[in-house]
């Protein structure tokens, strides 16, 4: 499939669009006219440290305001929605360093991802009405299924702070997924994970992407992971997209080799043996 085919495909169905997005912190221009149409399935977002990758997620999830340009979910302008409104509309994310309640259990943390789907009100909760109990039971079952999918069922009732950093990162992914997002933004999900955890994580994500229309955007410095998982990859450098295309296209693009991958990667070949110099 050529990049033109990919772009046309993305154009007709893109659930998430960045349109001439600019972000500046004072005089520091961090994003400068970013245009991306993220498609359903896996999308990679790569680039050197400080390129502005996390800033894109911060704009999409409402932590940072764009200076100009637009971010659209379908045809909905995200600037009109607060953070919780974005979650309600289907945008969920994880963080580069997981943000979890460490003295709550794993189950309690994952349940938080379902708070927008609870239909019962405070009265129902206060008096523990049957409908509320049923809703809570179903929610716990859903969270347990998700933890099972990602190999964490046995840890469900442990304090989250007792888990390894890698497992905490997977808990965050589970918390995002139980809300049935339309868009899932994963910020360096594999950093700090052991090889076995990475395998479990990717297998679970693959299954969910196969079964749904989820649009999944992965920021990662692990190039082998990105090129294996993502049919389309965007390369950000100093706040601009310098290349986009298939794994083969971006890893052989001289501009990307110069700005990010480095000559060491080029010598290692585009088979994932080389690693970016500039991370
Ligand atoms: N809230 C903020 N206030 C001021 N500057 C910020 C803010 N957030 C990010 N920056 C700056 O914007 C630039 C891009 O940061 P960002 O975190 O988006 O990079 P990144 O591509 O995610 O890098 P990394 O790979 O290291 O995570 C950096 O120079 C950073 O210092
Ligand atoms: Mg970052």
């Amino acid at each position: 499939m050529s990049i033109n085919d990919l772009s046309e495909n993305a154009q007709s169905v893109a659930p998430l669009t960045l349109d001439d997005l600019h972000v500046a912190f004072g005089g520091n221009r961090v994003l400068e006219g970013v245009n991306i149409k993220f498609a359903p399935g896996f999308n990679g977002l790569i680039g050197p440290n400080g390129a502005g990758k996390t800033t894109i997620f911060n704009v999409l999830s409402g932590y940072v305001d764009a200076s100009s340009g637009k971010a659209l979910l379908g045809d909905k302008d995200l600037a009109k929605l607060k953070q919780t409104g974005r979650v309600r509309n289907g945008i969920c994310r994880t963080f580069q360093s997981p943000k979890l309640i460490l003295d709550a259990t794993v189950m309690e943390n994952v349940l938080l991802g379902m708070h927008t789907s609870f239909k019962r009100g405070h009265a129902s909760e206060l008096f523990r009405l049957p409908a509320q109990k049923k809703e809570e039971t179903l929610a716990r079952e859903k969270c347990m299924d998700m933890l099972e999918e990602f190999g964490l069922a046995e840890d469900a009732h442990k304090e989250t702070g007792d888990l390894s950093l890698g497992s905490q990162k997977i808990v965050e992914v589970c918390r995002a997924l139980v809300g049935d997002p339309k868009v899932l933004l994963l910020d360096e999900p594999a950093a700090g994970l052991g090889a076995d955890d990475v395998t479990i994580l990717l297998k679970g994500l693959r299954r969910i992407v196969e079964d749904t229309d989820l649009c999944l955007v992965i920021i990662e410095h692990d190039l082998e992971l990105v090129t294996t998982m993502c049919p389309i990859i965007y390369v950000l450098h100093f706040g601009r997209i310098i290349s986009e295309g298939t794994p083969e296209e971006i890893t052989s693009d001289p501009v990307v080799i110069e700005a990010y991958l480095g000559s060491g990667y080029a010598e290692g070949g585009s088979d994932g043996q080389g690693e970016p110099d500039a991370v």
Side-chain angles (χ1 to χ4, degrees):
M1 189 187 286
S2 76
I3 181 62
N4 287 338
D5 294 336
L6 281 168
S7 300
E8 272 168 28
N9 186 32
Q11 217 154 21
S12 55
V13 291
L16 186 63
T17 305
L18 310 184
D19 181 8
D20 197 23
L21 202 66
H22 291 250
V23 170
F25 298 107
N28 184 11
R29 292 202 295 256
V30 172
L31 297 179
E32 298 202 71
V34 174
N35 293 295
I36 301 180
K37 284 179 186 293
F38 289 116
F42 287 93
N43 300 264
L45 179 58
I46 64 173
N49 293 123
K53 305 179 296 297
T54 298
T55 302
I56 289 181
F57 280 12
N58 286 342
V59 171
L60 292 171
S61 51
Y63 286 77
V64 161
D65 291 332
S67 315
S68 65
K70 276 189 180 167
L72 302 165
L73 177 69
D75 54 7
K76 206 171 278 180
D77 184 354
L78 287 176
K80 299 201 169 104
L81 297 172
K82 295 188 174 143
Q83 287 177 9
T84 46
R86 295 175 199 220
V87 175
R88 262 191 210 101
N89 277 274
I91 297 189
C92 290
R93 71 172 292 182
T94 65
F95 295 84
Q96 217 164 320
S97 302
K99 293 192 192 304
L100 295 163
I101 303 171
L102 294 180
D103 60 359
T105 66
V106 168
M107 173 59 78
E108 285 164 341
N109 270 291
V110 177
L111 272 169
L112 287 174
M114 293 194 68
H115 78 280
T116 56
S117 49
F118 286 120
K119 293 191 176 58
R120 310 288 148 196
H122 293 310
S124 179
E125 201 171 315
L126 187 65
F127 297 110
R128 302 281 295 153
L129 298 179
Q132 192 270 337
K133 274 195 209 162
K134 187 171 174 206
E135 188 172 59
E136 191 179 317
T137 304
L138 290 175
R140 284 179 178 276
E141 280 172 13
K142 183 171 181 182
C143 292
M144 190 54 103
D145 288 348
M146 193 61 77
L147 288 167
E148 180 99 53
E149 173 85 50
F150 287 89
L152 287 173
E154 285 179 8
D155 296 324
H157 303 295
K158 289 187 185 158
E159 257 193 33
T160 309
D162 290 340
L163 269 57
S164 66
L165 176 68
S167 295
Q168 287 180 24
K169 291 186 88 162
I170 298 181
V171 172
E172 230 194 4
V173 172
C174 292
R175 182 179 64 187
L177 282 170
V178 291
D180 295 328
K182 290 182 193 146
V183 170
L184 177 58
L185 309 169
L186 300 180
D187 199 344
E188 300 194 23
L193 266 65
D196 290 348
D197 282 342
V198 173
T199 304
I200 291 171
L201 174 69
L202 298 184
K203 200 169 145 218
L205 291 176
R206 263 208 189 100
R207 194 196 61 71
I208 286 163
V209 163
E210 274 164 21
D211 291 354
T212 65
D213 285 337
L214 179 66
C215 168
L216 207 155
V217 186
I218 301 186
I219 294 176
E220 241 325 320
H221 287 296
D222 180 339
L223 206 64
E224 188 178 354
L225 185 157
V226 180
T227 53
T228 307
M229 299 295 288
C230 304
I232 182 154
I233 299 170
Y234 297 87
V235 188
L236 193 68
H237 185 49
F238 286 126
R240 295 173 194 270
I241 297 294
I242 56 166
S243 188
E244 62 184 84
T246 63
E248 295 72 28
E249 284 167 335
I250 64 108
T251 52
S252 58
D253 184 341
V255 175
V256 180
I257 292 170
E258 165 81 23
Y260 181 48
L261 302 178
S263 52
Y265 181 87
E267 282 154 22
S270 57
D271 59 356
Q273 296 304 304
E275 287 298 326
D277 287 346
V279 290

